[in-house]
Amino acid sequence: MSVVDYTKIGLKIGLEIHQQLNVGSKLFCNCQPELFKENPEVTFLRRLRPTQSELGQFDPSVFFEFQKGVRILYEAKGKSVCLVEMDEEPPHPLNREALKVVLTAALMMNMQPVDEVHVMRKTVIDGSNTTGFQRTSVIALDGGIKVGEKTIFMQAVSLEEDAARKIGVEDEGKTIRYRVDRLGIPLIEVTTAPVIYSPLEAQQVALAIGKILRDTGKVMRGLGVIRQDLNVSISEGALIEIKGVQELELISTVIEYEVQRQLGLLSIKEELHNRGITKEKLEHVFVDVTDVFSESKAKVIRKAVDKNQKVLAVKLVGFAGLLGRELMPNFRVGSEFSDRAKFWGRVGGIFHTDELPNYGITLEEVAAVRRAVGATDEDGVVFVADTAENTQDALKAVVDRAQELLVGVPVETRTAKEDGTTRYMRPRPGASRMYPETDIPIQAITEELIKEVLDNMPEPAEKKLSRIMKQYQLNEKLTKQIIDSEWAKLFEEIVNETAISASIVAAFLTETIKSLKRDGITVENVNENQIKTLFATVSSGTLAKEALAEVFSWLAKNENKTVQDAITTLGLKMLTETDLEQIIDRIIVANKQAIEKNGKNAFGMLMGIVMKEVRGKANPEIVNKILKQKT
């Protein structure tokens, strides 16, 4: 991407940070906030439908989900689920501990608590909630935090329930499977004003908010417990909501790519106007070209034709060369059209003439399709193979998206991918989406409650930095790394419960784990209890500290296994002094000539040979002592 002047294009960014809270139970019941991996004990099938607001309106994003026509199969098991999650029992009163945590974070961000907590229902019928809505409540408003030299205005902090987790899709997309173990886990949502003006600044603000949440000591760690949603706009573009950025480091990339996409769409808008293309020229006229592909070698089309399905095509006047225009890495204008066709038409994808001949489709077949729809060399053609109804809906969505290009950037909700690109998710929600929850009583935020929270506020950041440096004799760099990480609380617990050097623990929890993550190790699979056991094992002399990374990596790849399982499997049981003496004696005999030749200078060589053989299974200090005695 070329260098962009973000000020000149009027880039504005707002953040919505969601983090699961670790308060022992769910938000509206006493179930444990734990996920299960075994087969479910209970399943139940639902079909969720949209309802009208008090004004008789349907929310567009809700109606969009309903149009998909899917059924939802829910899975449940064990202590993480009760009748509340199944929507067979009214919700219990709001989790008071979760409320205190959110109030703590709000006060740390200089926000003003509301007088009363009113729980609201936010309509959601994608299946992620059995009720057809998500419960959410505003806890505090209007605050600010300092990031660098700038104060970032915080609009609101809310307490809400997490959604069920999507497991898979069956019946060619007609049935979606969800597990309700995650449903109801308390979430804090922090919303900033759109006062962030660069991708890097957005990442820095997210880091600062994340640090405040971790400082409460009551947030969960692991894969999927934190999610960043972004609201991104530029002056001539549109406000785009981007959901589900999982990694903090990905925020700036997602924003850069979204800016690139919007600038690309604006460029195409200008080019279409220069070509004289109007909305009236982009017609919903679909031509049956099934006969063109009666002998086709293209697998997707062949499969549809063999099932007596249809291949329909549409002409996009003046679109030649634009469908293949790249908007983001590996994402083109044709991808925009394909996303709309998949969601609204329930098809697997589209074919367009800018990418053909390809996929087994021949030049002759392309020419025949062009003739059938009356396309010239200046026109683009899109065609789809599926049922008659699906192809009609898909091509209608394609033409609608083509017409939107004449306006510029459409307002929509997109979902973030692991590479930083985004895909169409749904239309933006409307105002008719939120209404009061009538099953939960209003919770007053009293002066007594605020005083209780203030009396138990976390240690201020500056004081914490000074204390940890002094108490554990760490340098400033390592102390900042541990405080800025998610491991500060665990670090102190390990150091206070074991005899291991604080610097070793801090370096492992920050630098080593970060390095393992870069190497592809899923570090989130190792929980805090396993890490504490790992260091306790080193402290007891059962495992060498040099083997920490190896055992940690094994645990990440072998979930639900123990540290002892790792030690046994990896053959890292510590050698006794008798075992070491035998190994050292053998190595001394094998290197007798080198020892006689180099005398005392041979010690370093021998130490290296011994440690290469026993690394991870022996304490280097003990090896050094025995080797000195024998040489």
Side-chain angles (χ1 to χ4, degrees):
M1 181 178 178
S2 58
V3 177
V4 175
D5 186 335
Y6 294 113
T7 302
K8 185 176 181 180
I9 65 172
L11 175 63
K12 291 184 180 180
I13 305 156
L15 299 180
E16 296 176 15
I17 309 294
H18 306 79
Q19 175 94 47
Q20 288 182 359
L21 301 181
N22 187 9
V23 291
S25 64
K26 293 189 177 182
L27 191 54
F28 298 111
C29 67
N30 294 322
C31 290
Q32 297 175 5
E34 297 177 355
L35 307 185
F36 70 90
K37 297 182 180 179
E38 305 82 12
N39 291 328
E41 296 172 339
V42 176
T43 61
F44 52 99
L45 194 66
R46 296 272 171 88
R47 173 89 193 277
L48 299 178
R49 293 173 172 81
T51 56
Q52 291 177 316
S53 70
E54 288 82 351
L55 299 177
Q57 299 171 326
F58 284 112
D59 182 86
S61 66
V62 174
F63 187 71
F64 166 78
E65 295 293 346
F66 177 69
Q67 283 286 93
K68 295 180 184 178
V70 300
R71 302 177 303 170
I72 301 98
L73 181 67
Y74 292 104
E75 301 178 347
K77 176 182 171 66
K79 297 179 180 179
S80 64
V81 177
C82 69
L83 293 177
V84 172
E85 283 84 7
M86 297 180 186
D87 195 29
E88 299 291 348
E89 176 181 304
H92 302 182
L94 191 73
N95 185 316
R96 190 171 176 82
E97 181 65 22
L99 176 58
K100 290 180 184 178
V101 175
V102 177
L103 278 172
T104 299
L107 293 171
M108 292 172 71
M109 292 182 283
N110 307 300
M111 302 182 76
Q112 180 63 45
V114 298
D115 295 329
E116 296 177 334
V117 177
H118 293 253
V119 180
M120 303 291 289
R121 294 177 175 180
K122 183 166 61 177
T123 305
V124 179
I125 67 163
D126 62 354
S128 60
N129 200 309
T130 52
T131 59
F133 53 81
Q134 179 192 38
R135 297 181 179 95
T136 183
S137 51
V138 175
I139 306 301
L141 299 166
D142 301 339
I145 61 172
K146 200 78 175 291
V147 180
E149 298 301 315
K150 179 178 175 180
T151 297
I152 302 297
F153 179 59
M154 315 301 289
Q155 286 184 332
V157 62
S158 303
L159 176 59
E160 59 186 30
E161 59 182 353
D162 206 346
R165 59 191 179 107
K166 191 173 181 180
I167 299 300
V169 179
E170 300 172 350
D171 303 330
E172 296 183 346
K174 293 296 184 183
T175 302
I176 304 176
R177 289 192 299 124
Y178 280 93
R179 286 198 169 177
V180 292
D181 47 6
R182 193 179 71 181
L183 179 60
I185 292 179
L187 278 180
I188 182 172
E189 180 187 45
V190 180
T191 306
T192 77
V195 294
I196 302 167
Y197 304 127
S198 77
L200 179 59
E201 185 182 27
Q203 196 155 299
Q204 292 169 338
V205 172
L207 176 64
I209 294 172
K211 185 176 181 301
I212 289 171
L213 300 184
R214 289 192 298 273
D215 283 345
T216 66
K218 290 290 185 178
V219 296
M220 291 190 179
R221 65 164 292 272
L223 197 62
V225 302
I226 187 168
R227 185 187 74 246
Q228 288 101 184
D229 295 346
L230 316 175
N231 293 302
V232 182
S233 67
I234 61 176
S235 296
E236 300 299 322
L239 177 59
I240 301 297
E241 181 183 24
I242 301 174
K243 308 283 285 185
V245 182
Q246 295 285 344
E247 298 289 343
L248 175 69
E249 296 80 8
L250 204 58
I251 290 177
S252 60
T253 302
V254 170
I255 296 170
E256 287 169 8
Y257 285 167
E258 176 57 24
V259 169
Q260 181 178 338
R261 187 184 76 90
Q262 292 200 32
L263 291 175
L265 291 174
L266 292 173
S267 174
I268 289 170
K269 167 191 171 182
E270 184 177 351
E271 191 162 343
L272 285 170
H273 287 169
N274 290 338
R275 293 182 183 186
I277 308 303
T278 63
K279 183 178 180 179
E280 291 70 28
K281 292 184 178 181
L282 299 173
E283 299 179 302
H284 293 83
V285 177
F286 312 137
V287 178
D288 189 336
V289 293
T290 310
D291 290 345
V292 172
F293 297 98
S294 59
E295 303 297 329
S296 180
K297 304 298 182 185
K299 292 181 180 179
V300 174
I301 296 180
R302 179 79 262 153
K303 181 179 178 182
V305 171
D306 289 345
K307 291 165 67 175
N308 292 319
Q309 294 180 342
K310 295 291 185 181
V311 184
L312 297 188
V314 65
K315 176 177 67 174
L316 300 178
V317 176
F319 266 75
L322 296 181
L323 294 169
R325 183 80 60 84
E326 186 170 82
L327 299 172
M328 296 182 285
N330 301 313
F331 183 91
R332 295 166 174 79
V333 173
S335 308
E336 292 264 333
F337 290 4
S338 180
D339 284 351
R340 294 291 186 92
K342 288 175 182 177
F343 280 107
W344 290 107
R346 306 162 297 281
V347 297
I350 65 171
F351 297 97
H352 62 79
T353 45
D354 279 4
E355 63 180 355
L356 300 175
N358 204 344
Y359 313 114
I361 297 172
T362 65
L363 195 59
E364 291 75 16
E365 289 169 334
V366 174
V369 169
R370 281 188 170 279
R371 287 193 299 272
V373 299
T376 69
D377 291 342
E378 286 74 36
D379 303 329
V381 180
V382 174
F383 55 95
V384 182
D386 209 293
T387 65
E389 180 185 5
N390 288 357
T391 50
Q392 288 272 353
D393 289 345
L395 289 184
K396 181 181 183 302
V398 167
V399 175
D400 289 345
R401 183 66 188 90
Q403 291 175 345
E404 288 175 347
L405 283 174
L406 297 170
V407 180
V409 183
V411 174
E412 62 191 21
T413 299
R414 301 179 68 82
T415 184
K417 299 299 181 181
E418 292 181 357
D419 61 357
T421 61
T422 60
R423 306 303 292 249
Y424 178 75
M425 187 177 182
R426 61 172 183 251
R428 283 295 302 274
S432 55
R433 190 185 185 196
M434 191 91 74
Y435 54 99
E437 165 62 84
T438 55
D439 289 336
I440 300 172
I442 295 169
Q443 168 76 60
I445 297 183
T446 62
E447 291 183 6
E448 290 77 15
L449 177 58
I450 293 176
K451 183 178 184 303
E452 181 185 350
V453 171
L454 287 171
D455 289 342
N456 294 278
M457 290 291 280
E459 187 177 18
E462 298 79 9
K463 185 176 178 181
K464 190 173 187 178
L465 176 67
S466 175
R467 177 184 64 79
I468 288 180
M469 285 180 63
K470 182 177 180 180
Q471 182 176 343
Y472 301 108
Q473 298 182 333
L474 293 178
N475 61 46
E476 185 174 358
K477 178 186 175 183
L478 199 51
T479 305
K480 284 184 176 179
Q481 285 179 342
I482 200 68
I483 288 176
D484 287 343
S485 75
E486 58 187 303
W487 305 107
K489 182 180 177 184
L490 182 63
F491 160 77
E492 295 203 65
E493 291 176 356
I494 291 172
V495 175
N496 292 332
E497 294 171 8
T498 68
I500 302 176
S501 161
S503 60
I504 291 175
V505 178
F508 182 85
L509 292 177
T510 56
E511 296 168 359
T512 303
I513 288 182
K514 187 177 290 186
S515 176
L516 291 174
K517 189 171 184 176
R518 282 197 298 265
D519 291 339
I521 301 297
T522 309
V523 301
E524 294 84 1
N525 288 344
V526 185
N527 62 47
E528 292 190 359
N529 287 332
Q530 287 175 307
I531 296 173
K532 290 175 73 171
T533 302
L534 181 55
F535 278 100
T537 306
V538 173
S539 182
S540 68
T542 308
L543 181 71
K545 63 178 182 291
E546 290 78 12
L548 279 168
E550 187 176 0
V551 174
F552 185 97
S553 299
W554 189 91
L555 290 171
K557 298 172 185 175
N558 297 272
E559 293 185 74
N560 301 319
K561 296 293 185 179
T562 66
V563 172
Q564 190 55 54
D565 292 333
I567 292 172
T568 301
T569 303
L570 296 171
L572 293 175
K573 183 179 179 181
M574 292 288 278
L575 297 167
T576 65
E577 290 199 21
T578 301
D579 294 332
L580 284 174
E581 287 182 2
Q582 292 175 356
I583 292 171
I584 290 171
D585 287 340
R586 170 168 53 78
I587 290 174
I588 288 174
V589 170
N591 293 274
K592 186 176 181 180
Q593 289 185 353
I595 294 170
E596 291 175 349
K597 180 179 179 181
N598 296 300
K600 292 183 179 181
N601 293 330
F603 182 85
M605 174 197 72
L606 291 172
M607 186 71 182
I609 295 172
V610 175
M611 286 308 300
K612 184 177 180 180
E613 184 169 332
V614 304
R615 188 175 303 279
K617 296 183 287 186
N619 189 318
E621 288 79 13
I622 296 176
V623 173
N624 186 288
K625 181 189 75 172
I626 297 174
L627 192 56
K628 281 183 177 179
Q629 291 172 353
K630 291 183 175 291
T631 56

